[in-house]
Amino acid sequence: MSASIVNRYRYPFLFLTIIVFVAVWWVVAKIVNDPYALAGPVSTAKAYYQLFAQSSLRNLFITSIESTLLSIFLGFVLAVAIGIPVGIFMGRYLVVDYLVDPWINIWYSIPAIAFVPLVMNWAGLTSISALIVSFLIAVFSIIINVYTGVKNVSASLVEPAIAFGISKRALYTKVILPASTPNIMVGLRLGITRAIEGVIVAEMVFSVVGLGGMIFDTADKLEMSLTIALVIVISLISIALNYLMKYLDHKVVFWKESSALKRG
Amino acid sequence: MNLKSLKRKWERTKVERRNLVAQEVIVEQRESWIDLNTIQAKVIFTIVSILLFGAIWELAAKLINNHVILPTPISSFKALYLLIQNKIPLGAAGVGSFESMLLQTLEITAIGFLLSSAVGIPVGYLIGRWRAAEAIIDPWINALYAIPMVALIPLLYFGSGSLIPVSVFDYQGDLLPDVLVSFIMTVFTIIINTYQGVRLVSNSLVEVGKAFGASENQLTRHVVIPAALPDIVAGMRLGLGRALLGAIIAEALLSTNGLGYTMLAFQSILNTPYMVATIMVIAFIGFVLLQTPKLIERRLFKWKETERIKRGGNE
Amino acid sequence: MALEQKTVSTFKQILKIEGISKSFVKDGKKVQVLEDVSFEAREGSFVSIIGPSGCGKTTLLRIIDGLVKPDSGKVLFNGKPVTSPPPKMGFVFQQFGLLPWRTVRKNVEFGLELRGVNPEEKKKIAEGYIKLVGLEGFENHYPHELSGGMQQRVGLARALAIDPDVLLMDEPFASLDMQTRELFQRELLKIVKGALPKTTLFVTHNIDEAIYLSDEIVLMTARPGKVYEIIKVDLPQERWKEDIRAHPEFIRLRQKIWKFLESQIIEKEMGENESGKA
Ligand SMILES: Nc1ncnc2c1ncn2[C@@H]1O[C@H](COP(=O)(O)OP(=O)(O)OP(=O)(O)O)[C@@H](O)[C@H]1O
Ligand SMILES: [Mg+2]
């Protein structure tokens, strides 16, 4: 019975939990009473004011966000442009499948950060490096999901199409590709989440570019309220991007109830 | 039964197996100049694939002709051999012995993972069973999934000195921050997967349990947990990868030992072969940690696997 | 002979359904599913419930088993009101409801295990019922390795294994082909009217199936589901021994029920069209 009350007034209740969260944060910060360990909500709010009022800080903040978003997006777009064709290619040609398959699982299980030093040698401590990291991470999520999607299209979809005398090309564009869109979308959603994380890690290691760099730098200077403010910013960006991908997923794959994501 | 009929039977079951998915049809559609559907073909192709990869790498390295940007595979493997032999090049500040770095990374990973499982599974289970609050837990879970936990590391590290009395954990010495990082990176993955597993236990199975008179305890033991177990274990497998990632990140950012630190230390002296060698060790650990559980899972949860194939899903 | 005497001589009402009403809230709107449903079942009788799709048959069975609480009305089992699943009721589910991680034997043992029956006895009982439903040799198979018909046999064996007095069956044969279906019907009658006498409530869409199996048929109207009529089937007992499908009474009943269902479906469609226009 309580279920229906909470579920019916979900937004007020959700809002309430956010307020509770902030209140707990405030109380804990009061108890800890050490601005270097944990800045409270009030000083974090002040940090936001600082971020916008102080022109040098504001400029740094804006260029950081630009650089981070650019790295994420360009790397991701590149990953989509390359990952989807490669995935389809692997699903289509057994030879390609056999040649690439042993590597996919290996690359996919490499912890993202292992790419960082390699990329540092290629492009230095720049947003280009972060972009490459974003690409390398996203592309494997995409390839692996597209490929399994294409390979596992149900026979009950393919056989009728063949019975109707479909051409090889049309079989791919009209049956196999549409049928594997759920998997492709899963790949994209996983890809962007992992790409965001990869970019932040890279930037923190570089500690001079992007939001990641700024987060690391402010924490290093023990300006904890600024750090928290920035962490909240990047979190909100990630959440927004995630909801965007979820929305796209529902739009593209409207014919299937939402695919349960494995989340890693 | 003679050999021929056995073989025919094998062929038949092969077809039946493949009928589950469209592979049969697609495979026929694919060009085949040799019979690719044999184990031998798979083995041969794996070997060819490895050699091909090596050749491309070698060629690229020769073309670029710059040891810093891309060392040749041979020099990288040589560095790997030397690294394992503890022959560390001069100038790599503070890099310890191979065993010590390996052990440290594995230790952080193991503790981070165990801690995360101990916390994450019960928490995920409880909120998954708490159906009344579903509508407000879901957005929080989505948010937790989206937030890059790495962003929390500086907060944790630079603040942790005063937040947690390190002396309490003295036996861990300076590994505590690393373990915390690994834990933070892992615990939400485990919570989320457990939560989803429990949430997706179909109501109809729970009802079956109730119809046969199961008590609340028996429902948990005989229906909910077995049904959610494949997802929980899959979450733990992903958690292993996350714990390793957390350990490496922590070492890279905070520590002065371990594979994560070593890899960056070699980078800073521009000794790329050693750096690549370290990355290969990390990749190998990652591969083993993520792939071995898969084999076990496949044996353990055959019923789930078939359900997944039938649904045309993937993992 | 003795069995037949038993079913004829007992007139005890083992199950009484009294004034059951139930509504659900769907998309913020209240939907009345069942309205004042009442009927009774004699011990050892076979009662079918037939009605258009969505009229609340499954919901009614769930209420009778105590899985769902009715808004009003009550279910009496041996004179006692049902509030939670009684140990002496067995349920055969529409979608089989087998636990996919358990083998056939483990699935059949499920109810016994919950009741704390000791392992040896459990195994012995399970083997007996597996044999009864003709699944010998498949004890160690998993549900996903079985065909739909075999899975349904497991569901039946599982329900029988707890030795219920009342068997609730929700469209158990819906997914079977015609021949298998008729075979199953005969096998079921042999069990519940012969070897192991049970009181059976059987939900179905299939008119022939209902007449062939039942002593009584409860006809339900389209949503909200009400009892329209309770039809007594006056056909010989032990029907597995002769084919009664050509019996004049059988044909008369079939026509009668078909007319009723047709009227219900037409009414429903017209109602939906009207509300669509409004
Ligand atoms: N838990 C529930 N919440 C909301 N609505 C429900 C619920 N259970 C059933 N209903 C609704 O009640 C109505 C009757 O459902 P029920 O499954 O009992 O019908 P049925 O007669 O068994 O149909 P069918 O012949 O298709 O199996 C349907 O409209 C269904 O959507
Ligand atoms: Mg039903």
Side-chain angles (χ1 to χ4, degrees):
Chain A
M1 299 309 103
S2 57
S4 59
I5 293 173
V6 173
N7 292 342
R8 191 155 351 138
Y9 303 105
R10 55 188 308 169
Y11 293 110
F13 267 102
L14 192 58
F15 189 65
L16 200 71
T17 57
I18 294 173
I19 291 184
V20 169
F21 178 78
V22 176
V24 170
W25 175 19
W26 186 75
V27 170
V28 172
K30 267 270 180 287
I31 294 170
V32 172
N33 196 22
D34 177 357
Y36 299 125
L38 181 66
V42 180
S43 55
T44 304
K46 278 186 195 144
Y48 277 115
Y49 176 74
Q50 225 185 330
L51 267 180
F52 290 105
Q54 222 171 294
S55 70
S56 63
L57 208 55
R58 186 178 57 219
N59 290 339
L60 180 63
F61 178 53
I62 289 172
T63 45
S64 298
I65 284 201
E66 271 175 12
S67 149
T68 298
L69 286 182
L70 216 63
S71 301
I72 293 171
F73 274 129
L74 289 184
F76 182 69
V77 169
L78 212 62
V80 172
I82 292 178
I84 292 184
V86 171
I88 293 173
F89 216 58
M90 278 178 68
R92 166 152 195 175
Y93 294 104
L94 205 53
V95 179
V96 183
D97 179 359
Y98 278 15
L99 283 182
V100 186
D101 191 50
W103 295 105
I104 289 290
N105 276 328
I106 294 175
W107 283 86
Y108 194 65
S109 35
I110 297 177
I113 192 177
F115 294 119
V116 171
L118 205 61
V119 164
M120 273 162 86
N121 280 357
W122 297 345
L125 308 181
T126 62
S127 53
I128 305 283
S129 292
L131 184 155
I132 300 175
V133 171
S134 158
F135 165 77
L136 285 178
I137 292 172
V139 79
F140 289 107
S141 296
I142 295 171
I143 290 178
I144 219 167
N145 280 288
V146 173
Y147 152 70
T148 29
V150 169
K151 232 169 67 161
N152 290 352
V153 172
S154 157
S156 63
L157 292 179
V158 174
E159 276 164 2
I162 290 174
F164 277 106
I166 199 166
S167 74
K168 224 161 148 183
R169 193 192 150 85
L171 180 67
Y172 273 85
T173 56
K174 290 199 196 312
V175 180
I176 292 177
L177 209 52
S180 43
T181 40
N183 294 71
I184 297 178
M185 291 311 293
V186 168
L188 297 191
R189 286 174 70 178
L190 282 176
I192 195 130
T193 319
R194 283 172 49 118
I196 294 172
E197 193 168 69
V199 166
I200 300 292
V201 174
E203 289 176 344
M204 286 202 314
V205 173
F206 304 163
S207 79
V208 285
V209 278
L211 272 180
M214 213 175 156
I215 288 172
F216 202 77
D217 192 45
T218 51
D220 199 19
K221 293 182 189 140
L222 289 178
E223 292 167 335
M224 284 305 173
S225 54
L226 266 178
T227 314
I228 291 187
L230 293 170
V231 168
I232 293 175
V233 169
I234 185 66
S235 300
L236 291 180
I237 290 176
S238 311
I239 292 170
L241 284 177
N242 242 278
Y243 270 100
L244 180 72
M245 292 308 289
K246 211 170 164 180
Y247 174 77
L248 283 180
D249 192 357
H250 284 308
K251 279 274 144 186
V252 177
V253 197
F254 58 88
W255 43 269
K256 195 181 175 189
E257 54 184 319
S258 85
S259 35
L261 270 181
K262 268 278 141 52
R263 295 159 144 181
Chain B
M1 205 184 267
N2 62 14
L3 206 65
K4 222 173 204 158
S5 72
L6 250 176
K7 190 163 173 239
R8 212 171 305 126
K9 195 172 165 209
W10 160 247
E11 295 294 337
R12 223 184 12 250
T13 52
K14 214 164 66 181
V15 170
E16 273 163 18
R17 257 182 292 130
R18 259 193 269 116
N19 257 336
L20 265 179
V21 288
Q23 267 169 351
E24 186 192 12
V25 183
I26 299 173
V27 165
E28 275 173 11
Q29 290 273 313
R30 302 198 249 201
E31 309 299 324
S32 56
W33 36 272
I34 66 166
D35 186 8
L36 291 167
N37 288 309
T38 56
I39 295 286
Q40 292 96 309
K42 182 107 201 179
V43 171
I44 291 170
F45 267 88
T46 306
I47 294 168
V48 170
S49 167
I50 291 169
L51 292 179
L52 202 67
F53 180 82
I56 291 173
W57 181 1
E58 178 79 28
L59 201 71
K62 282 266 150 59
L63 279 178
I64 294 169
N65 195 21
N66 182 337
H67 237 201
V68 173
I69 289 183
L70 190 64
T72 60
I74 293 172
S75 63
S76 303
F77 277 103
K78 213 153 95 193
L80 178 64
Y81 177 75
L82 292 174
L83 182 69
I84 294 171
Q85 300 282 309
N86 268 327
K87 303 225 167 68
I88 313 288
L90 289 174
V95 171
S97 69
F98 180 69
E99 295 85 64
S100 77
M101 64 179 89
L102 191 65
L103 277 182
Q104 172 172 326
T105 303
L106 290 179
E107 191 178 343
I108 297 170
T109 305
I111 300 175
F113 169 72
L114 291 177
L115 221 65
S116 304
S117 303
V119 174
I121 294 173
V123 169
Y125 184 84
L126 289 178
I127 58 176
R129 286 290 275 163
W130 192 19
R131 283 321 237 288
E134 194 168 307
I136 49 175
I137 291 175
D138 262 4
W140 280 96
I141 291 281
N142 277 330
L144 279 179
Y145 168 66
I147 294 173
M149 290 301 156
V150 274
L152 299 179
I153 293 173
L155 279 181
L156 202 82
Y157 175 55
F158 294 102
S160 67
S162 44
L163 207 60
I164 302 156
V166 175
S167 57
V168 174
F169 298 89
D170 227 10
Y171 69 100
Q172 279 300 335
D174 57 351
L175 284 195
L176 179 66
D178 303 56
V179 167
L180 272 180
V181 168
S182 178
F183 171 76
I184 286 284
M185 295 281 299
T186 311
V187 70
F188 294 105
T189 296
I190 292 187
I191 290 180
I192 290 169
N193 278 286
T194 308
Y195 168 80
Q196 275 209 328
V198 173
R199 272 288 299 286
L200 292 180
V201 173
S202 80
N203 279 327
S204 56
L205 282 188
V206 171
E207 190 154 81
V208 168
K210 284 185 186 156
F212 282 88
S215 66
E216 200 54 42
N217 266 338
Q218 287 177 321
L219 270 186
T220 304
R221 242 200 18 248
H222 292 294
V223 181
V224 180
I225 289 184
L229 203 58
D231 286 328
I232 297 175
V233 173
M236 288 171 76
R237 161 166 49 80
L238 295 172
L240 262 178
R242 298 286 297 177
L244 175 66
L245 176 64
I248 306 273
I249 289 177
E251 289 167 349
L253 293 173
L254 321 170
S255 196
T256 54
N257 195 6
L259 293 166
Y261 170 79
T262 309
M263 147 187 110
L264 281 181
F266 288 138
Q267 194 278 330
S268 69
I269 59 165
L270 296 181
N271 191 333
T272 315
Y274 268 82
M275 184 190 89
V276 170
T278 318
I279 293 174
M280 287 200 275
V281 176
I282 295 172
F284 178 74
I285 299 174
F287 182 73
V288 171
L289 287 187
L290 275 169
Q291 302 300 324
T292 3
K294 264 196 197 164
L295 300 177
I296 301 166
E297 280 172 66
R298 234 167 251 161
R299 305 205 122 223
L300 233 51
F301 307 125
K302 242 192 190 133
W303 60 271
K304 191 81 182 181
E305 186 82 5
T306 326
E307 268 183 11
R308 200 157 32 227
I309 293 173
K310 275 188 192 148
R311 270 187 283 118
N314 72 321
E315 185 242 348
Chain C
M1 283 301 109
L3 286 175
E4 199 171 328
Q5 236 163 15
K6 190 184 166 197
T7 48
V8 171
S9 64
T10 44
F11 284 98
K12 196 181 139 209
Q13 306 297 348
I14 189 170
L15 206 57
K16 279 190 187 162
I17 288 94
E18 294 183 357
I20 297 285
S21 295
K22 178 75 189 173
S23 62
F24 287 112
V25 178
K26 211 174 185 179
D27 304 326
K29 267 192 294 188
K30 199 175 120 175
V31 182
Q32 193 70 34
V33 176
L34 294 169
E35 204 171 285
D36 194 24
V37 173
S38 304
F39 63 90
E40 300 176 346
R42 252 182 315 112
E43 186 164 24
S45 66
F46 197 113
V47 179
S48 282
I49 302 168
I50 196 165
S53 196
C55 76
K57 303 179 296 290
T58 298
T59 308
L60 180 61
L61 275 200
R62 289 164 77 213
I63 290 173
I64 294 171
D65 198 34
L67 287 164
V68 179
K69 280 202 170 49
D71 297 342
S72 61
K74 60 181 182 238
V75 176
L76 295 175
F77 178 36
N78 279 328
K80 284 194 240 26
V82 172
T83 51
S84 62
K88 281 289 183 184
M89 270 194 204
F91 207 124
V92 180
F93 291 86
Q94 194 166 356
Q95 304 298 336
F96 318 141
L98 301 181
L99 304 178
W101 55 87
R102 283 172 169 249
T103 58
V104 167
R105 173 182 313 157
K106 283 278 186 186
N107 261 295
V108 176
E109 284 178 357
F110 183 59
L112 303 167
E113 194 175 324
L114 296 179
R115 284 160 173 69
V117 176
N118 73 53
E120 277 156 49
E121 199 173 337
K122 199 170 65 182
K123 195 170 166 210
K124 218 178 86 200
I125 297 173
E127 266 163 12
Y129 285 101
I130 289 169
K131 199 169 158 189
L132 183 74
V133 299
L135 278 178
E136 266 173 311
F138 290 95
E139 288 88 348
N140 295 322
H141 282 58
Y142 285 88
H144 69 78
E145 298 165 328
L146 304 178
S147 69
M150 288 159 100
Q151 292 191 46
Q152 196 51 280
R153 286 170 199 252
V154 181
L156 182 59
R158 178 176 66 177
L160 289 172
I162 60 171
D163 189 26
D165 293 336
V166 172
L167 200 55
L168 307 175
M169 305 181 82
D170 190 3
E171 299 190 38
F173 305 150
S175 57
L176 307 180
D177 63 80
M178 275 298 281
Q179 283 82 9
T180 319
R181 194 171 182 144
E182 286 188 8
L183 194 79
F184 271 48
Q185 289 165 2
R186 204 164 62 214
E187 297 293 315
L188 177 66
L189 272 190
K190 270 195 210 164
I191 294 171
V192 301
K193 285 284 186 181
L196 304 157
K198 310 273 176 215
T199 311
T200 313
L201 282 194
F202 189 96
V203 167
T204 179
H205 271 131
N206 188 309
I207 301 173
D208 282 21
E209 182 170 88
I211 305 171
Y212 175 75
L213 292 171
S214 314
D215 301 313
E216 284 178 13
I217 300 174
V218 178
L219 275 186
M220 285 182 70
T221 64
R223 209 170 52 212
K226 290 182 284 251
V227 176
Y228 174 78
E229 191 184 344
I230 296 173
I231 299 176
K232 293 229 178 321
V233 180
D234 227 348
L235 286 165
Q237 291 284 320
E238 302 205 334
R239 289 172 201 168
W240 61 91
K241 285 186 180 156
E242 52 179 319
D243 193 5
I244 57 151
R245 283 169 222 267
H247 200 288
E249 176 69 1
F250 194 101
I251 292 162
R252 190 185 68 83
L253 285 174
R254 180 202 282 150
Q255 261 164 3
K256 178 177 165 154
I257 298 173
W258 170 238
K259 267 215 186 90
F260 165 75
L261 284 179
E262 192 181 38
S263 74
Q264 287 299 307
I265 292 165
I266 289 171
E267 204 170 284
K268 193 174 154 211
E269 301 247 302
M270 290 201 355
E272 262 161 25
N273 282 348
E274 264 162 36
S275 63
K277 276 177 210 148

